[in-house]
Amino acid sequence: MSENGTLRRGRPGYDQQGILDVAVAAFIQYGYDATSMGVLADRLGLSKSAIYHHFASKDEILDRALDTALGALEGVLERADAAHGRAADRLDQVLRGAVHVLVDKLPYVTLLLRVRGNTEVERRALARRRAFDKRVTTLVSEAQAEGSLRSDIDVRIVERLLFGMINSIVEWYRPGGAEDADRLADDVIAIALDGLRMPTSNRVDELLG
Amino acid sequence: MSENGTLRRGRPGYDQQGILDVAVAAFIQYGYDATSMGVLADRLGLSKSAIYHHFASKDEILDRALDTALGALEGVLERADAAHGRAADRLDQVLRGAVHVLVDKLPYVTLLLRVRGNTEVERRALARRRAFDKRVTTLVSEAQAEGSLRSDIDVRIVERLLFGMINSIVEWYRPGGAEDADRLADDVIAIALDGLRMPTSNRVDELLG
């Protein structure tokens, strides 16, 4: 169950990832500050020293949890950059990929979105989020420059509204519901890139003309 | 400064609205539970009894604050319903109106969006939010039925994604910034209804054909 044998060193049932999952659920329920190592130990049915065997501190648990979400989002950007092609297509790929990360790592992204920068670990996570947002903003600029996205909206506003829509999914999405990640990603792309309104011929003339 | 003379009955500088503004800022900063009447009195430079002169309890302050946000959002729907006309145009009006409410009553809406239903006052506010969402969802259904909005996305998902985008504005909007409410409302409508992508002739054929 665990390649490097960490499971065997802990109590049965929890490897490092298992502890992380339980800790993230507790941080979301009670808040990070209110969740002591004692509360975590109770939840896990482990001693505090068994947790310290896997993580040096509560801060390290938070760091690893935020890195899980940020690493997955950054991976989406890496893959889109590697794909080359039109910027609009790469943006499409990034938005779809971000929806998948939200659905696949829902509690981790939920925790990331609540970070306010109260500790050094949180401030580093916020800096990585800002760097991610900046790279997406650059992608929007490139798509505007190549003529594939409308250029009458400030690129920073576009990026914020797009990720506002995507991030809001953590508020209501429940795994196993009617919408799987692929369908949800299609819906986000349909609204964000093509819009909800059926085009009138006036509107088509205006856009093409 | 106050039509009904409530200002004169309190200490100089704070009428009921002024106390509400300070309380909402404190609830956002510290959380509702962590903000005692003593903390509020310190912030206001008033005695607790001076606050009780205006509000029977902390719960009543929260109730009034949430009602400020909810009442404004419900007012947007009332005006759109009164306008009759095409459902798509009324939806346009509701989305624009909601952006204006967010910008005009930023702290009040921020507080509303944090409500999780821990008290009776919060549960009533959540019920009003759900009723609002349901009326917007009905409006989206009507717009799909009249053929003015694409009908290949579940109406509840449309409503959630639209308000996910709009509500995310509270995360970054700062009064006095480059974007005024009218411009921001235009941007939201441009993305949500018309989409970011410049239409290719293929896409236009697909939508019109």
Side-chain angles (χ1 to χ4, degrees), chain A residues 20-21 24-25 28 65-66 69 101-114 170 175:
Chain A
L20 205 52
D21 288 344
V24 167
I28 290 171
L66 298 176
V101 169
L102 252 74
V103 166
D104 294 344
K105 303 194 186 302
L106 196 65
Y108 290 84
V109 178
T110 302
L111 189 64
L112 175 65
L113 294 176
R114 293 193 187 175
V170 305

Side-chain angles (χ1 to χ4, degrees), chain A residues 86 88-89 91-92 113-114 116 147-154 157-158 160-166 168-169 171-172 179 183-184 186-201 203-204 207-208, chain B residues 86 88-89 91-92 113-114 116 147-154 157-158 160-166 168-169 171-172 179 183-184 186-201 203-204 207-208:
Chain A
R86 290 195 326 152
D89 295 334
L91 180 64
D92 181 305
L113 294 176
R114 293 193 187 175
R116 290 290 172 265
S148 49
L149 289 196
R150 59 192 297 159
S151 55
D152 57 345
I153 312 179
D154 184 293
I157 304 286
V158 168
R160 283 167 172 165
L161 292 176
L162 289 179
F163 272 86
M165 179 161 61
I166 290 173
S168 73
I169 292 171
E171 300 286 330
W172 55 268
E179 299 282 311
R183 178 63 208 260
L184 199 51
D186 284 344
D187 293 346
V188 166
I189 295 294
I191 296 177
L193 298 191
D194 297 319
L196 286 167
R197 185 141 49 196
M198 296 299 285
T200 58
S201 31
R203 171 76 188 146
V204 169
L207 287 167
L208 293 178
Chain B
R86 290 197 325 151
D89 294 334
L91 180 63
D92 180 305
L113 294 176
R114 293 193 187 176
R116 290 290 172 265
S148 48
L149 289 196
R150 59 190 299 158
S151 53
D152 57 344
I153 312 179
D154 184 293
I157 303 287
V158 168
R160 283 167 172 165
L161 292 175
L162 288 178
F163 271 86
M165 177 160 64
I166 290 173
S168 74
I169 292 170
E171 300 288 329
W172 56 267
E179 298 282 312
R183 179 63 208 260
L184 199 51
D186 285 344
D187 294 347
V188 166
I189 294 293
I191 295 178
L193 299 191
D194 297 319
L196 286 167
R197 186 139 52 194
M198 295 300 283
T200 59
S201 30
R203 171 79 187 142
V204 169
L207 286 168
L208 291 179

Side-chain angles (χ1 to χ4, degrees), chain B residues 3-153:
Chain B
E3 283 174 26
N4 58 9
T6 49
L7 176 60
R8 282 192 304 277
R9 293 205 308 270
R11 295 263 183 109
Y14 289 109
D15 56 5
Q16 213 172 36
Q17 184 60 50
I19 293 175
L20 204 53
D21 287 344
V22 171
V24 166
F27 293 162
I28 291 171
Q29 186 174 354
Y30 306 119
Y32 176 72
D33 290 336
T35 308
S36 65
M37 285 298 248
V39 167
L40 282 185
D42 280 352
R43 277 226 168 179
L44 289 157
L46 296 177
S47 65
K48 282 201 269 183
S49 67
I51 302 177
Y52 283 120
H53 182 77
H54 291 289
F55 296 98
S57 64
K58 198 175 78 159
D59 235 31
E60 191 186 318
I61 300 180
L62 181 65
D63 196 28
R64 283 285 300 277
L66 298 176
D67 180 64
T68 300
L70 285 161
L73 288 167
E74 288 159 356
V76 165
L77 263 178
E78 304 299 340
R79 283 191 296 280
D81 282 349
H84 304 289
R86 290 197 325 151
D89 294 334
R90 282 180 282 138
L91 180 63
D92 180 305
Q93 194 180 335
V94 167
L95 300 179
R96 285 180 197 275
V99 172
H100 276 274
V101 169
L102 252 74
V103 166
D104 293 344
K105 305 197 183 303
L106 197 63
Y108 290 84
V109 178
T110 302
L111 189 64
L112 175 65
L113 294 176
R114 293 193 187 176
V115 160
R116 290 290 172 265
N118 298 329
T119 64
E120 186 51 36
V121 164
E122 291 196 1
R123 281 188 287 276
R124 266 189 284 129
L126 282 183
R128 279 173 76 182
R129 261 193 84 182
R130 278 195 298 272
F132 176 88
D133 288 341
K134 197 149 179 257
R135 287 172 68 187
V136 177
T137 304
T138 302
L139 197 48
V140 173
S141 297
E142 288 173 32
Q144 287 189 347
E146 76 189 9
S148 48
L149 289 196
R150 59 190 299 158
S151 53
D152 57 344
I153 312 179

Side-chain angles (χ1 to χ4, degrees), chain A residues 27 32-33 57-63 66 114-127 130:
Chain A
F27 293 163
Y32 176 72
D33 290 335
S57 63
K58 196 175 78 160
D59 234 31
E60 192 187 314
I61 300 179
L62 181 65
D63 197 26
L66 298 176
R114 293 193 187 175
V115 159
R116 290 290 172 265
N118 297 329
T119 65
E120 185 51 36
V121 164
E122 291 196 359
R123 281 188 286 277
R124 267 189 283 129
L126 282 183
R130 278 194 298 271

Side-chain angles (χ1 to χ4, degrees), chain A residues 7-69:
Chain A
L7 176 59
R8 283 192 302 277
R9 294 205 308 272
R11 294 266 184 105
Y14 288 110
D15 57 3
Q16 212 171 37
Q17 183 61 49
I19 293 174
L20 205 52
D21 288 344
V22 171
V24 167
F27 293 163
I28 290 171
Q29 186 174 354
Y30 307 118
Y32 176 72
D33 290 335
T35 309
S36 65
M37 284 299 246
V39 167
L40 283 185
D42 280 351
R43 276 225 167 182
L44 289 158
L46 296 177
S47 65
K48 281 201 270 185
S49 67
I51 302 178
Y52 283 120
H53 183 77
H54 291 289
F55 296 98
S57 63
K58 196 175 78 160
D59 234 31
E60 192 187 314
I61 300 179
L62 181 65
D63 197 26
R64 282 283 300 277
L66 298 176
D67 179 63
T68 299

